[in-house]
């Protein structure tokens, strides 16, 4: 299984960026605000960013990878770049990956940053902040049948917000369609 990754920037800290549900190493640089953010990260640290297995430029497996297998992708890119310890930045689903990696490999983690990561998606008695089971099922059905819709991108799926400019939504949809099939 080949995991595509990029390295840029310099500085005293290695930062491994673990993406959310879908990423595409090449196309994300075509989104001006995202490219600016990544450039600024590279101004003070060496950034190692990868596409998870099944997405972007990484190999497509026959079956969906488990969280533990996706966590191994972090180890693979760190080992390929001979990084002993790194700061980890996990976005959305990448936050689950980086949290598990940190728990299993504390000696390889300098610090952990998570953004847009939830303890769970669906609401429960002890977690009232999530989506209802019905709303979650509808969200997944919509993505599987239609791909990343405006509603998915603005709402609970990506969470860009209702007021974000349509050009940003269109760019995000393009990256997501190129990064993964609806079934992925």
């Amino acid at each position: 299984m080949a995991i595509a990754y990029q390295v840029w920037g310099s500085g005293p800290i290695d930062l491994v960026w673990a993406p959310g549900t879908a990423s595409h190493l090449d196309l994300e640089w075509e989104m001006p605000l995202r490219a600016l953010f990544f450039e600024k990260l590279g101004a003070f640290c060496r950034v190692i960013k990868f596409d998870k297995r099944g997405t972007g430029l990484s190999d497509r497996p026959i079956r969906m990878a488990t969280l533990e297998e996706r966590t191994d992708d972090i180890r693979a890119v760190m080992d390929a770049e001979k990084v002993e310890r790194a700061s980890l930045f996990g976005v959305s689903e990448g936050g689950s990956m980086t949290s598990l990696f940190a728990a299993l490999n504390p000696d390889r983690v300098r610090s952990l940053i998570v953004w847009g990561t939830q303890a769970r998606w669906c609401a429960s008695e002890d977690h009232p902040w999530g989506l209802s089971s019905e709303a979650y099922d509808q969200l997944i059905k919509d993505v599987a049948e239609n791909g990343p819709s405006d509603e998915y991108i603005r709402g609970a799926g990506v969470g860009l917000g209702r007021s974000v400019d349509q050009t940003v939504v269109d760019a995000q949809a393009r990256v997501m369609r190129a990064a993964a099939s609806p079934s992925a």
Side-chain angles (χ1 to χ4, degrees), residues 117-128:
T117 302
Q118 309 90 338
R120 57 186 296 156
W121 266 80
C122 292
S124 66
E125 191 172 308
D126 64 343
H127 185 83

Side-chain angles (χ1 to χ4, degrees), residues 140-158:
I140 298 304
K141 181 181 181 217
D142 183 50
V143 171
E145 292 176 358
N146 305 307
S149 66
D150 277 21
E151 177 59 30
Y152 180 84
I153 292 169
R154 291 177 186 276
V158 176

Side-chain angles (χ1 to χ4, degrees), residues 59-133:
D59 282 350
R60 303 291 197 256
I62 296 171
R63 62 171 179 76
M64 182 66 72
T66 65
L67 180 58
E68 291 78 9
E69 289 168 330
R70 289 177 187 255
T71 299
D72 285 338
D73 297 347
I74 296 170
R75 183 180 354 294
V77 296
M78 287 178 68
D79 290 350
E81 285 299 308
K82 299 181 180 16
V83 174
E84 290 300 317
R85 282 186 86 208
S87 293
L88 306 180
F89 195 135
V91 177
S92 187
E93 180 189 342
S96 301
M97 293 168 50
T98 56
S99 295
L100 182 59
F101 184 88
L104 296 174
N105 305 278
D107 57 316
R108 298 205 64 187
V109 179
R110 177 184 178 124
S111 60
L112 175 64
I113 305 161
V114 294
W115 180 81
T117 302
Q118 309 90 338
R120 57 186 296 156
W121 266 80
C122 292
S124 66
E125 191 172 308
D126 64 343
H127 185 83
W129 305 280
L131 295 173
S132 69
S133 294

Side-chain angles (χ1 to χ4, degrees), residues 6-50:
Q6 295 174 340
V7 180
W8 72 92
S10 61
I13 297 170
D14 287 321
L15 177 77
V16 176
W17 178 276
T21 303
S23 65
H24 195 292
L25 291 172
D26 287 346
L27 294 180
E28 288 184 351
W29 287 103
E30 295 178 13
M31 299 172 72
L33 291 175
R34 191 165 294 180
L36 179 62
F37 176 76
F38 288 141
E39 288 169 6
K40 291 198 179 279
L41 273 180
F44 64 88
C45 60
R46 185 171 77 130
V47 181
I48 304 165
K49 183 176 179 293
F50 65 97

